[in-house]
Amino acid sequence: MKRQHVIMGLALAGAAALVLFGDRQAASDVSEAVERTPAAPRDDAALAVKPGKPGDKEVAIVALRPRAELVGEAGEAVFDGGEAVFLSQNWNPPPPKASLQPSGPPPPPPAPVAPAMPFTYIGKAVGGGVWEVFLSRGADKTYVVREHTIIDGVYRVEKITPPSMTMTYLPLNQVQLINIGALD
């Protein structure tokens, strides 16, 4: 055993001896309540200075006033007015002044744009010297397209030249490209 274990064992034995052989008498000193006479009422002065030695001051306790008398029923005086306790400050710049005269006609709406390409490229093949491209739309439709093929009356395949395929969105006559990979 180490020296440290011996010291801790002796401390444990000492604590056990105090528990077994210590003073078991209950303290009989009971503190009783003391009755006091009420103090004479004072005026609402915060400090009352008694005549006598200079520097001797007696601090008077001021009577409590109701909260409604100090800050109003809902506490508006605390937050409103120039002498409010918690004044709010707005650090934002003032909003720009709106001009009363219109600046002219409103700008024209932006030109319509074709939607994003709804097709996903699956693969391509050469059949009879003509390129065929395999496209899917969602999970349920698959298309095999060649040049000048019209898909759903909305898209027309213009040209297939790997690494891209050119399609036209027919309602707006806008050309879009799909990357179909390099020549295999």
Side-chain angles (χ1 to χ4, degrees), residues 42-141:
R42 297 182 179 232
D43 60 348
D44 283 351
L47 290 174
V49 179
K50 284 186 172 181
K53 297 179 186 174
D56 288 345
K57 292 184 181 178
E58 180 183 321
V59 177
I61 299 174
V62 180
L64 294 176
R65 289 192 254 162
R67 181 179 185 274
E69 180 183 322
L70 296 172
V71 295
E73 282 299 319
E76 304 89 20
V78 176
F79 299 102
D80 296 337
E83 296 180 13
V85 176
F86 302 106
L87 289 176
S88 66
Q89 292 184 352
N90 185 1
W91 295 98
N92 295 329
K97 295 182 181 179
S99 62
L100 299 176
Q101 300 172 353
S103 61
V113 179
M117 186 62 67
F119 303 108
T120 304
Y121 169 73
I122 298 174
K124 63 183 175 295
V126 176
V130 178
W131 281 103
E132 293 178 333
V133 177
F134 304 99
L135 302 173
S136 70
R137 184 178 206 169
D140 56 344
K141 289 190 176 185

